[in-house]
Amino acid sequence: MTKIVIIGGVAGGASAAARARRLSEEAEIIMFERGEFVSFANCGLPYHIGGDITERSNLLLQTPESFLARFNVDVRTMSEVISIDKDNKSVTIKNVLDNSEYTESYDFLVLSPGAGPIVPPIPGIQNPITHSLRNIPDMDKILNTIRMNRPEHATVVGGGFIGLEMMEAFHQLGIKTTLVELADQVMTPVDREMAGFAHAEIKEKGVDLRLGVALEAVEYVEEPHLANIESGETDEHPHIQGHLNLSLSNGDTIKTEILVMAIGVRPEIQLARQAGLKIGDLGGIWTAPTMQTSNPSIYAVGDAIEEADFITGNPTIVPLAGPANRQGRMAADNMFGREQTYQGTQGTAICKIFDLAVASTGKNEKTLKREGIPFKKIYVHTASHASYYPGAEIVSFKMLYCPDTKKILGAQAAGKDGVDKRIDIMAVAQRAGMTIDQLQHLELTYAPPFGSAKDVINQAAFVANNIENGDSRAIHFDELDTLTDDQLILDVRTPMEIQNFGTLDGAINIPVDELRPRMSELPKDKEIIILCAVGLRGNVAYRQLVNNGYKARNLIGGYRTLMFSKA
């Protein structure tokens, strides 16, 4: 009889346990979890704090009792595995409640310890009203601080997924919020100009967004919680109300009543390191495509591991629930001889930021530049469904592709409707190895409430193929600072648009519908840089100009991309 020991539940460990049982009714399966909860929706924690998920119990996906009833898995909570003896195939477990210790043997061991929040050694950071958010006890502590301290102001440090979700949760509770981020943008999986849409939404909602600054010191100031004392609380066990004085790297200070640190997570590798398992160069547990570690009887899955990047095949760390679930299932398959191999992680992700959604898949431009991978990029801004049907919203879309193979390297999108649909399509297209030429031929659902006859994806492919086929010459917003005297800017929008939204210094304005009769006003000895709102009218103007012997380039993504790159 095969004996499987699993360390850690949640996504990867729980998936491995359930899959192993479905493959074998005879196997003995034991799962250890050092906390109270074995399977919970950690991605839902901020949404319970903010009130979107009203019932705390809805976050508890499985209990030890339900796991036993449905899958016959022996789940032992409050049980911390403190060491692994890989030579003798055994683990030592400490009962967190009474500190007693015992050992369990295994035939196969699955490591799913996850990743812990990074809390930098900032002076004063250890105090009762500073929190991180990883699990249900963390969530309960945040809710308790909100209940007892009644904060009027909250500060979140870190503009990743958890930071953005906590920012929105505080805002929904009517708490004035500051978001502090060391980088020049939030949500680093997307590029700076795409993050600009998030910045605009955050500011529009009244959140105090501080980019490019770091938290340097924290001062905790205690105050008696008079409201509870007046309600009959004794002086013997007073609740404490307090505030923090935060010092930022730019010299600013912030007074706040609750602080959430959300600057990132770090793989938990202590057990693996102690066991002598190979640790990768990025600091995660090394795994083979089979999810085996350097010891073939020990598998590792989830946020603690290094897996292969889908594009490059190089090691990467991507702490997302989808890959963790697939890895857990695959590890169980391979324990029973299925010979499955992990096909790489794309990093497909989406984040809700108030009324906006921002999503991405594959590589971003920053990473491609850093890794020296050649790429081209295009932008489109078009309606989420037929613009004449009520409720249509602009989807701002960026696609990166390989100039040689024409395969998709990455995609990003921002908007209030239809963003998830487009990035999911791109994630599938990328995994299928589709090219920008093949994207033109995608046949997607169309009815006015749902889509357009030429979908966002089709239009992005049209733009990319126009460039590759020589039907258009592109210039991008980040090249405008290097224009020479041999170039001039032609704005083909209407005078009213220019009055309302502005234009670039020195631009000549000839609306596209007046261009043919007024073309002689433009010089043929200069390259004309064409500017419009999103690049569509610019392409029409470009074809008119080049067909009449002018030199021209079209600003891809238009004025909209340029403006949000500065947001």
Side-chain angles (χ1 to χ4, degrees), residues 172-190:
Q172 286 187 190
L173 294 172
I175 302 170
K176 186 172 175 58
T177 306
T178 295
L179 178 64
V180 177
E181 169 56 56
L182 178 60
D184 65 350
Q185 68 168 91
V186 302
M187 202 173 172
T188 54
V190 302

Side-chain angles (χ1 to χ4, degrees), residues 37-327:
F37 305 98
V38 65
S39 182
F40 59 91
N42 51 359
C43 295
L45 302 178
Y47 298 106
H48 179 59
I49 293 171
D52 294 302
I53 300 172
T54 57
E55 297 298 324
R56 180 177 180 274
S57 59
N58 289 343
L59 298 172
L60 305 177
L61 305 179
Q62 293 282 355
T63 64
E65 294 76 20
S66 67
F67 243 116
L68 181 64
R70 178 162 297 183
F71 297 110
N72 191 25
V73 172
D74 180 4
V75 177
R76 303 179 192 178
T77 58
M78 310 305 287
S79 299
E80 181 180 7
V81 176
I82 57 175
S83 67
I84 300 169
D85 183 347
K86 67 179 187 299
D87 295 327
N88 294 307
K89 288 192 173 183
S90 69
V91 295
T92 300
I93 305 98
K94 181 177 77 173
N95 185 311
V96 175
L97 299 176
D98 62 14
N99 289 326
S100 61
E101 297 182 7
Y102 64 99
T103 62
E104 282 285 352
S105 63
Y106 63 82
D107 294 308
F108 294 108
L109 178 65
V110 179
L111 298 178
S112 181
I118 298 171
V119 181
I122 296 171
I125 198 71
Q126 300 297 331
N127 64 74
I129 57 176
T130 293
H131 304 278
S132 56
L133 181 60
R134 180 191 181 190
N135 52 36
I136 286 182
D138 291 340
M139 178 189 74
D140 291 340
K141 290 175 184 176
I142 292 172
L143 288 169
N144 186 61
T145 294
I146 293 171
R147 183 170 58 251
M148 302 310 303
N149 213 23
R150 301 178 184 177
E152 296 181 359
H153 185 276
T155 300
V156 178
V157 177
F161 294 101
I162 295 296
L164 292 168
E165 289 160 1
M166 281 305 306
M167 169 200 70
E168 184 170 351
F170 285 134
H171 183 272
Q172 286 187 190
L173 294 172
I175 302 170
K176 186 172 175 58
T177 306
T178 295
L179 178 64
V180 177
E181 169 56 56
L182 178 60
D184 65 350
Q185 68 168 91
V186 302
M187 202 173 172
T188 54
V190 302
D191 291 310
R192 175 63 179 78
E193 70 276 16
M194 299 301 291
F197 296 99
H199 299 163
E201 180 74 5
I202 291 167
K203 294 171 185 175
E204 194 274 332
K205 289 298 190 290
V207 171
D208 176 23
L209 178 61
R210 310 282 188 101
L211 297 173
V213 293
L215 176 63
E216 289 196 334
V218 179
E219 178 192 16
Y220 174 56
V221 181
E222 280 189 356
E223 301 164 1
H225 198 313
L226 298 178
N228 279 309
I229 294 174
E230 289 169 1
S231 66
E233 184 180 300
T234 66
D235 291 336
E236 213 174 322
H237 300 288
H239 287 292
I240 297 299
Q241 176 176 283
H243 70 266
L244 303 173
N245 295 320
L246 308 180
S247 299
L248 304 182
S249 59
N250 63 355
D252 290 348
T253 59
I254 299 172
K255 180 182 176 181
T256 196
E257 287 87 35
I258 183 171
L259 171 63
V260 172
M261 298 296 296
I263 64 173
V265 295
R266 181 180 292 116
E268 294 215 356
I269 60 171
Q270 296 90 333
L271 269 178
R273 191 188 297 279
Q274 170 271 324
L277 301 178
K278 182 179 178 181
I279 305 300
D281 292 338
L282 301 179
I285 302 171
W286 178 90
T287 55
T290 57
M291 308 317 304
Q292 288 167 298
T293 67
S294 53
N295 183 290
S297 298
I298 303 177
Y299 292 75
V301 300
D303 296 356
I305 73 164
E306 293 184 10
E307 65 258 58
D309 178 86
F310 179 77
I311 300 295
T312 65
N314 297 329
T316 187
I317 297 176
V318 182
L320 292 173
N325 275 285
R326 297 196 305 276
Q327 291 159 6

Side-chain angles (χ1 to χ4, degrees), residues 373-566:
I373 299 173
F375 68 92
K376 288 186 179 180
K377 62 183 178 181
I378 62 94
Y379 303 88
V380 295
H381 307 276
T382 190
S384 57
H385 59 250
S387 57
Y388 55 82
Y389 187 89
E393 298 283 355
I394 294 176
V395 175
S396 295
F397 185 86
K398 177 179 184 177
M399 180 171 69
L400 300 143
Y401 64 93
C402 175
D404 296 325
T405 66
K406 309 300 185 291
K407 289 186 177 181
I408 302 152
L409 296 174
Q412 303 162 32
K416 296 183 178 181
D417 178 56
V419 165
D420 54 343
K421 170 182 176 179
R422 273 66 188 208
I423 292 300
D424 283 343
I425 291 169
M426 292 301 293
V428 173
Q430 182 183 62
R431 191 163 285 271
M434 293 181 68
T435 65
I436 57 170
D437 177 64
Q438 291 170 320
L439 283 184
Q440 295 181 105
H441 305 290
L442 285 182
E443 188 172 328
L444 305 173
T445 56
Y446 165 56
F450 302 106
S452 299
K454 290 189 292 186
D455 188 79
V456 177
I457 305 296
N458 300 124
Q459 293 201 39
F462 295 154
V463 172
N465 280 280
N466 279 343
I467 293 170
E468 293 305 313
N469 295 334
D471 295 328
S472 178
R473 289 185 66 228
I475 190 169
H476 291 290
F477 73 93
D478 47 4
E479 300 176 79
L480 295 178
D481 291 337
T482 59
L483 297 184
T484 69
D485 292 339
D486 295 325
Q487 296 167 304
L488 67 82
I489 299 171
L490 172 65
D491 192 328
V492 297
R493 295 174 296 161
T494 65
M496 184 63 70
E497 287 178 275
I498 292 173
Q499 181 180 330
N500 290 338
F501 302 109
T503 188
L504 299 179
D505 290 342
I508 297 172
N509 177 220
I510 303 178
V512 66
D513 293 335
E514 301 176 17
L515 183 57
R516 279 190 179 89
R518 296 180 57 184
M519 200 175 293
S520 60
E521 298 175 23
L522 299 171
K524 284 196 171 183
D525 61 345
K526 292 192 176 186
E527 182 179 59
I528 298 170
I529 306 302
I530 306 168
L531 166 67
C532 73
V534 299
L536 181 59
R537 283 173 289 176
N539 185 60
V540 174
Y542 173 86
R543 293 308 311 168
Q544 290 183 32
L545 288 168
V546 297
N547 286 341
N548 283 279
Y550 287 83
K551 296 178 294 182
R553 292 165 76 186
N554 184 26
L555 179 63
I556 302 298
Y559 198 66
R560 181 176 175 86
T561 300
L562 175 64
M563 287 299 97
F564 278 97
S565 72
K566 301 175 181 178

